[in-house]
Amino acid sequence: MTDNIENWEFATRAVRAGQVRTNEGEQGEPIFTTSSYVYASAAQAAARFSGAEPGNIYSRFTNPTVRTFEQRLAALEGGETCVATASGMAAILTTCLGLLKAGDHVVASRSIFGPTVLLFKNILGRFGVDTDFVALADTAAWEKAIRKQTRLLFLETPSNPLSELGDIAALATLAHDHGALLAVDNCFLTPAIQRPLALGADLVIHSATKYIDGQGRCVGGAVVGRKDLVGGDIYGILRTAGPSMSPFNAWVFLKGLETLSLRMQAHSAAALELAQWLEQQAPVERVYYAGLPSHPQHALARRQQSAGKSGFAAGGVLAFELKGGQPAAWRFIDALRVMSITANLGDTKSTVTHPATTTHGRITPEQRAAAGIRDGLVRIAVGLEDVDDLKRDLARGLAAL
Ligand SMILES: *Cc1c(COP(=O)(O)O)cnc(C)c1O
């Protein structure tokens, strides 16, 4: 089945990579809901446990449905191997536990997912791993923060909610020049638009909860990269500590991957159309979306983001600032009738959030100002509804101001 997978185009890999049919000849991938496996003999059991014979042992670390998902995602990211985890946060934790030890140093973008900041600062900090946070787009600041003990550089690009970009190729070179690794959280663009490994990154991390699922059903995550890293110490943490993905969730994500490319193109096209429209509206002070030529890093976006044959794409998340601060933002949000007020993203259903009072509500006003999160900022994760209905919804919100 998978003999010449390297030659397959992205969409073919998305639909077919990793599938191994059973003797039943099923067309769709089965869900293996089993915790353990039986062996033909005591000798075979011993060979499995010692690793002399490959095969299933126990579903904390070997499950055929999970493995199919891992192989398919690895094929899409262009990585040698993949470890699936119970959530996106579990993927980041598993990666860090696999790679870092007390005394190690991490340089991370300051514009990463809130719980990721807390994981580095509060949790790994207690175990003697020190993290410095720098401005994502300022490659010189990354270089300045690197020390002799730096083992890992960590970023998300584009950032949430302001769509700042990190230069993956430049930061990969920087990491390697200093004997460190670069990990990229690729949740916002997915391999359908951005493939960090091809740009030099060592590890790609996913919250499969977002676009890989694509319909807001399951929580899961994954890390993709070389066999010596992901198949070694990172897999070792999964096997021993057990932050594993359930076979049912793996099956949902597997089905999500099959339509990922089409969905990311549709999310991106609608987001671009809405971003362009918002830029023309008087109550809107500024739009943040890397697909717009007015974005300060638009050229970088065009260099490192591409939806294959359909060309440049910038994903489904955009933000904009309304004149009139928080009262205006809340009035706008409360007037919407199509979009859901929720902080999730990557769903078929469009969502709207007010970052200053939700996702970024627990940091101080000074920290918020430093992060560029102003009170009039509204974030939209554009779903797959008809873009005309979404535009009418935004017009409804603006009319309420
Ligand atoms: C949601 C998210 C995570 C965490 O993923 P979970 O599946 O919720 O644990 C990590 N990074 C980014 C960019 C996210 O949006």
Tab-separated table of all heavy atoms in Angstrom, residues 359-388:
chain	number	residue	atom	x	y	z
A	359	THR	N	-8.935	35.016	26.778
A	359	THR	CA	-7.662	34.284	26.709
A	359	THR	C	-6.498	35.064	27.339
A	359	THR	O	-5.564	34.462	27.859
A	359	THR	CB	-7.303	33.988	25.235
A	359	THR	OG1	-7.447	35.193	24.475
A	359	THR	CG2	-8.225	32.919	24.666
A	360	HIS	N	-6.533	36.384	27.288
A	360	HIS	CA	-5.456	37.188	27.847
A	360	HIS	C	-5.943	37.998	29.057
A	360	HIS	O	-5.359	39.019	29.416
A	360	HIS	CB	-4.863	38.111	26.781
A	360	HIS	CG	-4.196	37.364	25.663
A	360	HIS	ND1	-4.915	36.624	24.734
A	360	HIS	CD2	-2.890	37.197	25.334
A	360	HIS	CE1	-4.067	36.063	23.871
A	360	HIS	NE2	-2.847	36.392	24.214
A	361	GLY	N	-7.039	37.521	29.687
A	361	GLY	CA	-7.662	38.272	30.779
A	361	GLY	C	-6.969	38.120	32.117
A	361	GLY	O	-7.175	38.933	33.026
A	362	ARG	N	-6.138	37.088	32.272
A	362	ARG	CA	-5.530	36.853	33.586
A	362	ARG	C	-4.162	37.505	33.745
A	362	ARG	O	-3.582	37.472	34.827
A	362	ARG	CB	-5.426	35.338	33.859
A	362	ARG	CG	-6.771	34.741	34.276
A	362	ARG	CD	-6.671	33.235	34.451
A	362	ARG	NE	-6.232	32.600	33.203
A	362	ARG	CZ	-5.922	31.313	33.083
A	362	ARG	NH1	-5.981	30.527	34.119
A	362	ARG	NH2	-5.553	30.820	31.916
A	363	ILE	N	-3.633	38.094	32.667
A	363	ILE	CA	-2.361	38.817	32.798
A	363	ILE	C	-2.664	40.286	33.113
A	363	ILE	O	-3.784	40.752	32.926
A	363	ILE	CB	-1.483	38.669	31.527
A	363	ILE	CG1	-2.230	39.147	30.275
A	363	ILE	CG2	-1.046	37.221	31.355
A	363	ILE	CD1	-1.383	39.118	28.994
A	364	THR	N	-1.669	41.005	33.614
A	364	THR	CA	-1.884	42.399	34.023
A	364	THR	C	-2.081	43.287	32.788
A	364	THR	O	-1.630	42.935	31.683
A	364	THR	CB	-0.668	42.929	34.806
A	364	THR	OG1	0.454	42.965	33.910
A	364	THR	CG2	-0.347	42.043	36.006
A	365	PRO	N	-2.743	44.449	32.978
A	365	PRO	CA	-2.907	45.369	31.840
A	365	PRO	C	-1.569	45.754	31.206
A	365	PRO	O	-1.493	45.920	29.985
A	365	PRO	CB	-3.578	46.597	32.477
A	365	PRO	CG	-4.296	46.056	33.672
A	365	PRO	CD	-3.456	44.916	34.171
A	366	GLU	N	-0.508	45.846	32.038
A	366	GLU	CA	0.818	46.193	31.496
A	366	GLU	C	1.340	45.065	30.599
A	366	GLU	O	1.869	45.317	29.513
A	366	GLU	CB	1.821	46.457	32.636
A	366	GLU	CG	1.526	47.691	33.486
A	366	GLU	CD	0.323	47.528	34.426
A	366	GLU	OE1	0.104	46.388	34.921
A	366	GLU	OE2	-0.411	48.515	34.643
A	367	GLN	N	1.174	43.825	31.065
A	367	GLN	CA	1.624	42.684	30.253
A	367	GLN	C	0.832	42.611	28.945
A	367	GLN	O	1.367	42.286	27.890
A	367	GLN	CB	1.449	41.370	31.029
A	367	GLN	CG	2.454	41.180	32.151
A	367	GLN	CD	2.124	39.974	33.024
A	367	GLN	OE1	0.973	39.741	33.374
A	367	GLN	NE2	3.142	39.215	33.388
A	368	ARG	N	-0.473	42.925	29.066
A	368	ARG	CA	-1.321	42.910	27.866
A	368	ARG	C	-0.847	43.955	26.867
A	368	ARG	O	-0.749	43.697	25.673
A	368	ARG	CB	-2.774	43.170	28.240
A	368	ARG	CG	-3.639	41.933	28.202
A	368	ARG	CD	-5.109	42.228	28.090
A	368	ARG	NE	-5.606	43.183	29.041
A	368	ARG	CZ	-5.888	42.921	30.312
A	368	ARG	NH1	-5.710	41.694	30.770
A	368	ARG	NH2	-6.341	43.847	31.118
A	369	ALA	N	-0.538	45.154	27.396
A	369	ALA	CA	-0.070	46.230	26.519
A	369	ALA	C	1.239	45.817	25.840
A	369	ALA	O	1.415	46.015	24.630
A	369	ALA	CB	0.116	47.512	27.320
A	370	ALA	N	2.141	45.188	26.628
A	370	ALA	CA	3.431	44.752	26.065
A	370	ALA	C	3.216	43.709	24.971
A	370	ALA	O	3.966	43.655	24.002
A	370	ALA	CB	4.322	44.188	27.173
A	371	ALA	N	2.182	42.897	25.136
A	371	ALA	CA	1.899	41.857	24.141
A	371	ALA	C	1.100	42.401	22.958
A	371	ALA	O	0.823	41.666	22.012
A	371	ALA	CB	1.147	40.699	24.801
A	372	GLY	N	0.713	43.682	23.028
A	372	GLY	CA	-0.016	44.286	21.913
A	372	GLY	C	-1.497	43.951	21.890
A	372	GLY	O	-2.178	44.165	20.881
A	373	ILE	N	-2.023	43.401	22.996
A	373	ILE	CA	-3.444	43.041	23.062
A	373	ILE	C	-4.217	44.240	23.594
A	373	ILE	O	-4.265	44.474	24.801
A	373	ILE	CB	-3.686	41.825	23.997
A	373	ILE	CG1	-2.715	40.684	23.686
A	373	ILE	CG2	-5.144	41.375	23.942
A	373	ILE	CD1	-2.945	39.994	22.382
A	374	ARG	N	-4.821	45.008	22.685
A	374	ARG	CA	-5.539	46.198	23.120
A	374	ARG	C	-7.002	45.872	23.406
A	374	ARG	O	-7.511	44.827	23.016
A	374	ARG	CB	-5.408	47.275	22.047
A	374	ARG	CG	-3.911	47.591	21.843
A	374	ARG	CD	-3.666	49.045	21.649
A	374	ARG	NE	-3.450	49.334	20.244
A	374	ARG	CZ	-3.745	50.507	19.695
A	374	ARG	NH1	-4.337	51.456	20.403
A	374	ARG	NH2	-3.482	50.721	18.426
A	375	ASP	N	-7.679	46.788	24.118
A	375	ASP	CA	-9.040	46.500	24.600
A	375	ASP	C	-10.065	46.422	23.467
A	375	ASP	O	-11.121	45.823	23.629
A	375	ASP	CB	-9.475	47.570	25.617
A	375	ASP	CG	-8.715	47.423	26.925
A	375	ASP	OD1	-8.062	46.368	27.112
A	375	ASP	OD2	-8.755	48.357	27.753
A	376	GLY	N	-9.763	47.040	22.324
A	376	GLY	CA	-10.709	46.996	21.207
A	376	GLY	C	-10.480	45.821	20.270
A	376	GLY	O	-11.142	45.701	19.224
A	377	LEU	N	-9.558	44.928	20.639
A	377	LEU	CA	-9.194	43.821	19.738
A	377	LEU	C	-10.249	42.707	19.748
A	377	LEU	O	-10.715	42.294	20.813
A	377	LEU	CB	-7.844	43.237	20.156
A	377	LEU	CG	-7.228	42.235	19.176
A	377	LEU	CD1	-6.653	42.951	17.961
A	377	LEU	CD2	-6.128	41.411	19.860
A	378	VAL	N	-10.603	42.248	18.559
A	378	VAL	CA	-11.541	41.136	18.399
A	378	VAL	C	-10.845	40.074	17.538
A	378	VAL	O	-10.216	40.410	16.530
A	378	VAL	CB	-12.835	41.598	17.693
A	378	VAL	CG1	-13.747	40.410	17.380
A	378	VAL	CG2	-13.570	42.633	18.546
A	379	ARG	N	-10.930	38.791	17.954
A	379	ARG	CA	-10.345	37.725	17.138
A	379	ARG	C	-11.440	36.867	16.535
A	379	ARG	O	-12.411	36.534	17.221
A	379	ARG	CB	-9.428	36.830	17.970
A	379	ARG	CG	-8.652	35.847	17.075
A	379	ARG	CD	-8.157	34.627	17.799
A	379	ARG	NE	-9.224	33.696	18.106
A	379	ARG	CZ	-9.055	32.553	18.757
A	379	ARG	NH1	-7.867	32.234	19.194
A	379	ARG	NH2	-10.084	31.760	19.007
A	380	ILE	N	-11.253	36.534	15.278
A	380	ILE	CA	-12.202	35.653	14.610
A	380	ILE	C	-11.467	34.444	14.040
A	380	ILE	O	-10.420	34.581	13.394
A	380	ILE	CB	-12.946	36.413	13.483
A	380	ILE	CG1	-13.899	37.422	14.116
A	380	ILE	CG2	-13.717	35.441	12.586
A	380	ILE	CD1	-14.621	38.269	13.134
A	381	ALA	N	-11.993	33.261	14.330
A	381	ALA	CA	-11.521	32.040	13.667
A	381	ALA	C	-12.599	31.693	12.648
A	381	ALA	O	-13.708	31.289	13.004
A	381	ALA	CB	-11.317	30.921	14.668
A	382	VAL	N	-12.269	31.906	11.388
A	382	VAL	CA	-13.262	31.800	10.320
A	382	VAL	C	-13.566	30.331	10.020
A	382	VAL	O	-12.655	29.547	9.745
A	382	VAL	CB	-12.761	32.520	9.047
A	382	VAL	CG1	-13.805	32.433	7.943
A	382	VAL	CG2	-12.423	33.974	9.364
A	383	GLY	N	-14.840	29.982	10.081
A	383	GLY	CA	-15.270	28.604	9.846
A	383	GLY	C	-15.591	28.353	8.385
A	383	GLY	O	-15.031	28.998	7.489
A	384	LEU	N	-16.488	27.428	8.156
A	384	LEU	CA	-16.807	27.035	6.783
A	384	LEU	C	-18.236	27.399	6.384
A	384	LEU	O	-18.771	26.865	5.406
A	384	LEU	CB	-16.565	25.531	6.602
A	384	LEU	CG	-15.116	25.059	6.837
A	384	LEU	CD1	-15.004	23.545	6.655
A	384	LEU	CD2	-14.136	25.781	5.908
A	385	GLU	N	-18.863	28.318	7.115
A	385	GLU	CA	-20.162	28.807	6.669
A	385	GLU	C	-19.962	29.606	5.370
A	385	GLU	O	-18.838	29.942	5.008
A	385	GLU	CB	-20.781	29.739	7.731
A	385	GLU	CG	-20.950	29.124	9.129
A	385	GLU	CD	-19.778	29.437	10.054
A	385	GLU	OE1	-18.679	29.768	9.551
A	385	GLU	OE2	-19.966	29.338	11.284
A	386	ASP	N	-21.057	29.957	4.694
A	386	ASP	CA	-20.942	30.796	3.485
A	386	ASP	C	-20.357	32.157	3.884
A	386	ASP	O	-20.824	32.803	4.821
A	386	ASP	CB	-22.317	30.986	2.847
A	386	ASP	CG	-22.190	31.584	1.452
A	386	ASP	OD1	-21.719	32.749	1.339
A	386	ASP	OD2	-22.551	30.898	0.485
A	387	VAL	N	-19.330	32.560	3.144
A	387	VAL	CA	-18.617	33.791	3.511
A	387	VAL	C	-19.540	35.019	3.463
A	387	VAL	O	-19.351	35.982	4.204
A	387	VAL	CB	-17.345	33.970	2.655
A	387	VAL	CG1	-17.692	34.280	1.215
A	387	VAL	CG2	-16.421	35.019	3.242
A	388	ASP	N	-20.577	34.979	2.614
A	388	ASP	CA	-21.504	36.113	2.552
A	388	ASP	C	-22.306	36.247	3.855
A	388	ASP	O	-22.574	37.360	4.305
A	388	ASP	CB	-22.457	35.963	1.364
A	388	ASP	CG	-21.707	36.131	0.039
A	388	ASP	OD1	-20.649	36.813	0.049
A	388	ASP	OD2	-22.157	35.586	-0.974
